[in-house]
Amino acid sequence: MKHFLLFYDFVDDYVTRRTALRAGHLSLAWAAVERGELLLGGALTDPVDTGLLLFKGETPEVAESFARIDPYVTNGLVKAWCVREWTTVVGVEPAQKVIP
């Protein structure tokens, strides 16, 4: 199993515009958690300009498919997004456990 980070680059007025779309976004996210795909997600603060979601799967498609249907993306609150593989080596469920 691999880890993938989904990065969101939010529009400037994201905080004020998200209210109407938040329930749909969170429903999608919790469904991904229930399927065992999404481990963590949230926004960075000061400023709130970036979102990060941590997925696990065999390919980046698990995160990419989430982004393609996320109401934040489809309604223009996210001006750009990308998925990057994260080589995790320490923690509860690292992809490649490394012990000294």
Side-chain angles (χ1 to χ4, degrees):
M1 195 66 55
K2 298 177 182 178
H3 289 121
F4 298 94
L5 287 171
L6 171 58
F7 294 85
Y8 279 171
D9 185 11
F10 296 133
V11 296
D12 291 339
D13 59 349
Y14 159 77
V15 173
T16 57
R17 291 178 51 198
R18 75 176 174 187
T19 303
L21 303 167
R22 196 164 196 202
H25 167 77
L26 291 174
S27 291
L28 184 68
W30 282 110
V33 170
E34 297 273 327
R35 292 189 303 273
E37 299 167 347
L38 179 59
L39 301 177
L40 292 169
L44 300 180
T45 59
D46 287 328
V48 181
D49 60 353
T50 304
L52 292 173
L53 295 97
L54 172 59
F55 288 86
K56 69 177 180 178
E58 295 302 323
T59 70
E61 179 61 26
V62 65
E64 292 167 353
S65 62
F66 179 93
R68 283 193 290 271
I69 62 170
D70 185 352
Y72 286 178
V73 173
T74 61
N75 288 279
L77 272 68
V78 175
K79 54 186 170 183
W81 61 269
C82 72
V83 175
R84 300 211 30 209
E85 185 174 347
W86 184 20
T87 303
T88 54
V89 297
V90 174
V92 177
E93 291 183 39
Q96 300 173 11
K97 193 173 199 175
V98 176
I99 301 173

